[in-house]
Amino acid sequence: MSPRTKEQNEAIREIRMNQIMQAAAEVYLEKGIQLEIRDVAVKAELGYGTVYHYYKNKHMLLEDLLWDALDRTESAVLPALTGDGGSLLKVEVFSRLLLRKCIQDPSVFIMLKTVADNFHHFPGNRFIKLSSEFQERIYLPFVELIREGIDPTTPEKTANLIFGSLVGCTALNIHHNIQSEIDAEGIVDMIFSGIQAKER
């Protein structure tokens, strides 16, 4: 049997990393910060040593999970930030895209919830850079759209209300095992009908 090529090794590594990340997100939703590397290994159906080969501790694993989720969040909402239409429409599109991504991708929900909780479950200052990047890449562009299209005086307050509503709706569905699929369109319509009514 001939040895694997560099490309084959890289492909295997990518598959393993995806397995580990998906399992870590699922375990985090079940156990929160109490998750352990062995829990992730069991969920991923990998040996403990295999997961430990990639991550020496759970904080390194969670850090990678959150950075990866930040990149996926930015990709998901980019069409709203760069698309056509007025600022109000862009805010609605951003909210719809973000809620859909939260529903489809548990790690995005975990990242948004962790940011909302100000990383208080995580030790030390290792997440300051992640928080800063979230502000720069996701939060502040959203606030600017709100300032232009909805609320020129307190856009941060409106942004926090929208983010909180999206995270809360996703959390209810995840943690209460609601079997029906989240009506992302209906939720965003409800949020924005309230905002527009307030603006009148």
Side-chain angles (χ1 to χ4, degrees):
M1 186 175 180
S2 59
R4 288 193 294 250
T5 65
K6 183 179 175 183
E7 291 77 18
Q8 288 171 321
N9 283 332
E10 189 55 38
I12 290 169
R13 181 182 184 284
E14 193 170 325
I15 289 167
R16 291 282 180 265
M17 295 294 286
N18 287 337
Q19 278 179 282
I20 292 166
M21 288 295 171
Q22 185 174 347
E26 290 175 26
V27 173
Y28 188 89
L29 291 177
E30 294 166 9
K31 296 189 170 194
I33 197 67
Q34 302 305 319
L35 97 151
E36 296 296 337
I37 294 286
R38 69 178 47 85
D39 301 323
V40 175
V42 168
K43 182 69 82 173
E45 298 180 355
L46 295 170
Y48 175 71
T50 301
V51 179
Y52 192 74
H53 170 76
Y54 293 101
Y55 294 103
K56 300 301 178 214
N57 61 58
K58 68 182 180 183
H59 297 296
M60 290 173 65
L61 172 56
L62 289 171
E63 192 170 358
D64 262 14
L65 178 80
L66 295 175
W67 276 105
D68 190 51
L70 177 62
D71 291 339
R72 287 202 304 279
T73 302
E74 184 178 40
S75 295
V77 300
L78 199 58
L81 297 174
T82 59
D84 295 330
S87 295
L88 175 58
L89 176 64
K90 287 182 175 183
V91 172
E92 285 193 53
V93 170
F94 184 108
S95 301
R96 288 180 206 287
L97 293 171
L98 187 58
L99 182 55
R100 282 192 209 122
K101 194 66 177 171
C102 267
I103 294 165
Q104 296 163 356
D105 187 339
S107 65
V108 169
F109 165 72
I110 292 165
M111 192 262 306
L112 292 175
K113 176 88 169 65
T114 303
V115 169
D117 291 342
N118 201 26
F119 300 94
H120 78 274
H121 293 299
F122 296 89
N125 297 324
R126 69 188 306 151
F127 292 95
I128 288 175
K129 183 163 173 40
L130 178 66
S131 180
S132 174
E133 287 284 317
F134 175 81
Q135 293 287 319
E136 185 179 319
R137 293 161 56 182
I138 309 295
Y139 183 75
L140 293 177
F142 187 56
V143 167
E144 195 51 40
L145 287 177
I146 292 170
R147 186 187 323 279
E148 293 168 6
I150 299 174
D151 182 359
T153 54
T154 57
E156 293 87 357
K157 184 177 176 183
T158 301
N160 292 342
L161 172 96
I162 294 170
F163 273 120
S165 299
L166 301 179
V167 170
C169 288
T170 307
L172 281 171
N173 191 74
I174 289 170
H175 295 304
H176 294 277
N177 295 321
I178 296 170
Q179 298 305 314
S180 60
E181 193 170 307
I182 295 180
D183 177 13
E185 301 302 315
I187 289 167
V188 173
D189 286 345
M190 192 182 309
I191 292 169
F192 280 86
S193 67
I195 289 171
Q196 288 165 346
K198 184 181 168 193
E199 294 301 307
R200 288 187 196 121

